[in-house]
């Protein structure tokens, strides 16, 4: 049975918002979203993500509203990526994207890893920074504090860490300092 979930987030501090539509079907999931940032230099991003039933990302499209350039990342599900059709060996081992403007991308490792309470996992993501659309590998750790509901996110190349709360669908409800769920 196909399912559609609509979610909306606001920046923790600021007026930026994000509207996301997640469609789940037999063949996997697709996400279509727009994020409007109140960064000191405001911008808006449209992105789409295609995800397999195994919660592995297959394709990510990111475009800045009002600009012609678009970033297209494709993954083989085994940790190999292409960017706009060219291999990106620097991303080898990454299984998920992490978009700087989106709390949704935290859902991907949480759903894929299915960690038990107290368990943790170190991962590598294909980090996409907006508004420049630069892509680079980003090492992270997730620790389950409450199964399906609360995880400690830690950046492994900085001192950034946050307890991130999720709803019953695995969507972020609170990411202190970054995002809060509105809908």
């Amino acid at each position: 049975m196909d399912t559609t979930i609509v979610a909306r987030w606001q920046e923790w501090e600021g007026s930026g918002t994000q509207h996301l539509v997640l469609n789940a079907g037999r063949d996997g999931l697709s996400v279509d979203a727009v994020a409007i940032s109140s960064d000191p230099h405001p911008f808006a991003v449209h992105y789409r993500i295609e995800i397999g039933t195994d919660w592995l990302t297959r394709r990510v499209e990111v475009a800045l509203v009002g600009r012609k350039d678009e970033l297209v990342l494709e993954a083989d599900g085994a940790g190999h990526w292409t960017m706009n059709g060219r291999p990106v060996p620097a991303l080898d081992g990454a299984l998920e994207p992490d978009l700087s403007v989106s709390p949704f991308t935290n859902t991907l490792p949480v759903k894929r890893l299915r960690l038990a309470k107290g368990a943790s996992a170190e991962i590598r993501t294909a980090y996409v920074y907006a508004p420049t659309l630069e892509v680079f590998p980003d090492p992270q750790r997730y620790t389950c504090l409450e199964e399906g509901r609360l995880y400690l996110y830690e950046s492994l190349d900085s001192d950034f860490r946050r307890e991130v709360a999720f709803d019953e669908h695995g969507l972020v409800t609170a990411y202190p300092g970054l995002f809060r769920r509105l809908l």
Side-chain angles (χ1 to χ4, degrees):
M1 180 169 136
D2 291 351
T3 303
T4 299
I5 298 171
V6 176
R8 191 169 292 156
W9 292 273
Q10 180 175 17
E11 292 173 343
W12 198 264
E13 294 179 19
S15 60
T17 59
Q18 181 170 159
H19 181 83
L20 177 139
V21 177
L22 178 131
N23 290 298
R26 282 190 325 223
D27 299 328
L29 302 96
S30 67
V31 168
D32 193 13
V34 174
I36 301 169
S37 177
S38 67
D39 188 78
H41 303 285
F43 63 91
V45 173
H46 175 245
Y47 69 88
R48 294 183 46 79
I49 302 175
E50 295 174 13
I51 306 150
T53 56
D54 52 7
W55 283 96
L56 291 171
T57 300
R58 301 296 190 234
R59 184 177 175 91
V60 180
E61 300 170 12
V62 185
L64 285 157
V65 174
R67 284 188 25 197
K68 292 183 180 184
D69 46 327
E70 178 181 53
L71 171 69
V72 177
L73 293 171
E74 292 182 291
D76 65 1
H80 302 98
W81 295 77
T82 62
M83 181 168 53
N84 298 332
R86 302 184 114 140
V88 187
L91 298 178
D92 281 357
L95 296 176
E96 287 92 15
D98 186 358
L99 285 88
S100 66
V101 295
S102 178
F104 172 75
T105 51
N106 294 90
T107 295
L108 300 170
V110 165
K111 294 295 276 185
R112 179 180 63 81
L113 294 167
R114 302 184 194 282
L115 297 173
K117 185 176 181 177
S120 67
E122 292 186 5
I123 66 168
R124 182 175 160 102
T125 67
Y127 189 84
V128 179
Y129 178 76
T132 64
L133 302 187
E134 292 176 81
V135 181
F136 53 88
D138 189 34
Q140 305 173 356
R141 178 184 301 120
Y142 282 84
T143 302
C144 179
L145 303 176
E146 181 183 331
E147 275 186 57
R149 296 298 183 154
L150 188 64
Y151 293 80
L152 176 63
Y153 165 88
E154 298 172 274
S155 170
L156 297 179
D157 59 3
S158 76
D159 61 355
F160 183 84
R161 55 189 286 147
R162 292 289 190 280
E163 288 187 8
V164 182
F166 295 82
D167 70 8
E168 68 276 8
H169 303 293
L171 298 175
V172 171
T173 58
Y175 195 142
L178 294 179
F179 305 100
R180 68 179 90 237
R181 181 89 171 269
L182 298 175
L183 171 68

